[in-house]
mmCIF file of all heavy atoms in Angstrom:
data_model
loop_
_atom_site.group_PDB
_atom_site.id
_atom_site.type_symbol
_atom_site.label_atom_id
_atom_site.label_comp_id
_atom_site.label_asym_id
_atom_site.label_seq_id
_atom_site.Cartn_x
_atom_site.Cartn_y
_atom_site.Cartn_z
ATOM 1 N N PHE A 63 -5.988 9.294 -7.084
ATOM 2 C CA PHE A 63 -5.937 8.016 -7.779
ATOM 3 C C PHE A 63 -7.066 7.101 -7.324
ATOM 4 O O PHE A 63 -7.688 6.422 -8.136
ATOM 5 C CB PHE A 63 -4.574 7.343 -7.564
ATOM 6 C CG PHE A 63 -3.427 8.115 -8.156
ATOM 7 C CD1 PHE A 63 -2.589 8.845 -7.345
ATOM 8 C CD2 PHE A 63 -3.237 8.131 -9.533
ATOM 9 C CE1 PHE A 63 -1.539 9.566 -7.899
ATOM 10 C CE2 PHE A 63 -2.188 8.852 -10.083
ATOM 11 C CZ PHE A 63 -1.337 9.573 -9.267
ATOM 12 N N ALA A 64 -7.339 7.097 -6.032
ATOM 13 C CA ALA A 64 -8.432 6.278 -5.509
ATOM 14 C C ALA A 64 -9.761 6.758 -6.076
ATOM 15 O O ALA A 64 -10.609 5.949 -6.474
ATOM 16 C CB ALA A 64 -8.448 6.314 -3.986
ATOM 17 N N ALA A 65 -9.947 8.068 -6.159
ATOM 18 C CA ALA A 65 -11.207 8.611 -6.687
ATOM 19 C C ALA A 65 -11.405 8.231 -8.151
ATOM 20 O O ALA A 65 -12.501 7.818 -8.547
ATOM 21 C CB ALA A 65 -11.219 10.134 -6.534
ATOM 22 N N VAL A 66 -10.358 8.330 -8.949
ATOM 23 C CA VAL A 66 -10.475 7.965 -10.367
ATOM 24 C C VAL A 66 -10.754 6.470 -10.509
ATOM 25 O O VAL A 66 -11.605 6.061 -11.315
ATOM 26 C CB VAL A 66 -9.195 8.357 -11.140
ATOM 27 C CG1 VAL A 66 -9.187 7.753 -12.531
ATOM 28 C CG2 VAL A 66 -9.088 9.873 -11.222
ATOM 29 N N ALA A 67 -10.077 5.645 -9.709
ATOM 30 C CA ALA A 67 -10.311 4.200 -9.776
ATOM 31 C C ALA A 67 -11.753 3.864 -9.421
ATOM 32 O O ALA A 67 -12.400 3.042 -10.078
ATOM 33 C CB ALA A 67 -9.349 3.471 -8.840
ATOM 34 N N ILE A 68 -12.288 4.518 -8.395
ATOM 35 C CA ILE A 68 -13.682 4.280 -7.992
ATOM 36 C C ILE A 68 -14.633 4.690 -9.106
ATOM 37 O O ILE A 68 -15.578 3.949 -9.443
ATOM 38 C CB ILE A 68 -13.996 5.039 -6.684
ATOM 39 C CG1 ILE A 68 -13.249 4.373 -5.524
ATOM 40 C CG2 ILE A 68 -15.502 5.089 -6.417
ATOM 41 C CD1 ILE A 68 -13.203 5.214 -4.262
ATOM 42 N N LEU A 69 -14.403 5.833 -9.719
ATOM 43 C CA LEU A 69 -15.285 6.286 -10.812
ATOM 44 C C LEU A 69 -15.191 5.358 -12.021
ATOM 45 O O LEU A 69 -16.202 5.100 -12.698
ATOM 46 C CB LEU A 69 -14.966 7.725 -11.188
ATOM 47 C CG LEU A 69 -15.293 8.768 -10.108
ATOM 48 C CD1 LEU A 69 -14.798 10.134 -10.515
ATOM 49 C CD2 LEU A 69 -16.783 8.798 -9.815
ATOM 50 N N MET A 70 -13.997 4.851 -12.307
ATOM 51 C CA MET A 70 -13.844 3.898 -13.423
ATOM 52 C C MET A 70 -14.605 2.606 -13.133
ATOM 53 O O MET A 70 -15.282 2.068 -14.017
ATOM 54 C CB MET A 70 -12.366 3.618 -13.687
ATOM 55 C CG MET A 70 -11.627 4.806 -14.284
ATOM 56 S SD MET A 70 -9.841 4.553 -14.402
ATOM 57 C CE MET A 70 -9.762 3.344 -15.705
ATOM 58 N N LEU A 71 -14.518 2.123 -11.900
ATOM 59 C CA LEU A 71 -15.262 0.915 -11.528
ATOM 60 C C LEU A 71 -16.767 1.163 -11.582
ATOM 61 O O LEU A 71 -17.537 0.275 -11.967
ATOM 62 C CB LEU A 71 -14.841 0.434 -10.139
ATOM 63 C CG LEU A 71 -13.435 -0.149 -10.058
ATOM 64 C CD1 LEU A 71 -13.033 -0.344 -8.596
ATOM 65 C CD2 LEU A 71 -13.358 -1.470 -10.805
ATOM 66 N N GLU A 72 -17.185 2.356 -11.240
ATOM 67 C CA GLU A 72 -18.616 2.682 -11.333
ATOM 68 C C GLU A 72 -19.068 2.681 -12.786
ATOM 69 O O GLU A 72 -20.131 2.145 -13.127
ATOM 70 C CB GLU A 72 -18.911 4.032 -10.673
ATOM 71 C CG GLU A 72 -20.421 4.346 -10.689
ATOM 72 C CD GLU A 72 -20.753 5.634 -9.992
ATOM 73 O OE1 GLU A 72 -20.088 6.657 -10.278
ATOM 74 O OE2 GLU A 72 -21.690 5.628 -9.193
ATOM 75 N N GLN A 73 -18.262 3.245 -13.669
ATOM 76 C CA GLN A 73 -18.598 3.239 -15.106
ATOM 77 C C GLN A 73 -18.733 1.837 -15.642
ATOM 78 O O GLN A 73 -19.531 1.573 -16.541
ATOM 79 C CB GLN A 73 -17.539 3.999 -15.912
ATOM 80 C CG GLN A 73 -17.663 5.487 -15.847
ATOM 81 C CD GLN A 73 -16.621 6.168 -16.731
ATOM 82 O OE1 GLN A 73 -15.539 5.643 -16.969
ATOM 83 N NE2 GLN A 73 -16.957 7.351 -17.219
ATOM 84 N N GLN A 74 -17.936 0.917 -15.110
ATOM 85 C CA GLN A 74 -17.971 -0.477 -15.550
ATOM 86 C C GLN A 74 -19.091 -1.271 -14.878
ATOM 87 O O GLN A 74 -19.261 -2.451 -15.143
ATOM 88 C CB GLN A 74 -16.623 -1.159 -15.250
ATOM 89 C CG GLN A 74 -15.460 -0.558 -16.008
ATOM 90 C CD GLN A 74 -14.109 -1.087 -15.517
ATOM 91 O OE1 GLN A 74 -14.033 -2.079 -14.796
ATOM 92 N NE2 GLN A 74 -13.040 -0.413 -15.893
ATOM 93 N N GLY A 75 -19.836 -0.606 -14.003
ATOM 94 C CA GLY A 75 -20.935 -1.269 -13.315
ATOM 95 C C GLY A 75 -20.495 -2.195 -12.199
ATOM 96 O O GLY A 75 -21.277 -3.020 -11.728
ATOM 97 N N LYS A 76 -19.266 -2.066 -11.755
ATOM 98 C CA LYS A 76 -18.739 -2.965 -10.720
ATOM 99 C C LYS A 76 -18.993 -2.463 -9.313
ATOM 100 O O LYS A 76 -18.877 -3.215 -8.352
ATOM 101 C CB LYS A 76 -17.252 -3.206 -10.941
ATOM 102 C CG LYS A 76 -16.976 -3.944 -12.250
ATOM 103 C CD LYS A 76 -15.510 -4.194 -12.463
ATOM 104 C CE LYS A 76 -15.295 -4.970 -13.739
ATOM 105 N NZ LYS A 76 -13.876 -5.183 -14.032
ATOM 106 N N LEU A 77 -19.306 -1.185 -9.167
ATOM 107 C CA LEU A 77 -19.692 -0.618 -7.880
ATOM 108 C C LEU A 77 -20.375 0.691 -8.075
ATOM 109 O O LEU A 77 -20.438 1.215 -9.189
ATOM 110 C CB LEU A 77 -18.473 -0.498 -6.936
ATOM 111 C CG LEU A 77 -17.297 0.412 -7.306
ATOM 112 C CD1 LEU A 77 -17.614 1.879 -7.149
ATOM 113 C CD2 LEU A 77 -16.129 0.073 -6.414
ATOM 114 N N SER A 78 -20.884 1.251 -7.010
ATOM 115 C CA SER A 78 -21.528 2.552 -7.025
ATOM 116 C C SER A 78 -20.838 3.445 -6.013
ATOM 117 O O SER A 78 -20.344 2.944 -4.993
ATOM 118 C CB SER A 78 -23.009 2.410 -6.656
ATOM 119 O OG SER A 78 -23.579 3.691 -6.380
ATOM 120 N N VAL A 79 -20.808 4.729 -6.286
ATOM 121 C CA VAL A 79 -20.189 5.635 -5.315
ATOM 122 C C VAL A 79 -20.956 5.646 -4.001
ATOM 123 O O VAL A 79 -20.465 6.129 -2.982
ATOM 124 C CB VAL A 79 -20.024 7.071 -5.870
ATOM 125 C CG1 VAL A 79 -19.023 7.111 -6.999
ATOM 126 C CG2 VAL A 79 -21.346 7.668 -6.265
ATOM 127 N N ASN A 80 -22.157 5.113 -4.005
ATOM 128 C CA ASN A 80 -22.959 5.037 -2.780
ATOM 129 C C ASN A 80 -22.751 3.723 -2.032
ATOM 130 O O ASN A 80 -23.328 3.536 -0.954
ATOM 131 C CB ASN A 80 -24.446 5.220 -3.115
ATOM 132 C CG ASN A 80 -24.719 6.606 -3.699
ATOM 133 O OD1 ASN A 80 -24.217 7.591 -3.182
ATOM 134 N ND2 ASN A 80 -25.462 6.664 -4.770
#
Side-chain angles (χ1 to χ4, degrees):
F63 296 104
V66 169
I68 290 166
L69 293 174
M70 290 173 71
L71 290 169
E72 183 177 49
Q73 281 183 331
Q74 296 170 14
K76 296 180 178 177
L77 62 74
S78 167
V79 293
N80 297 315

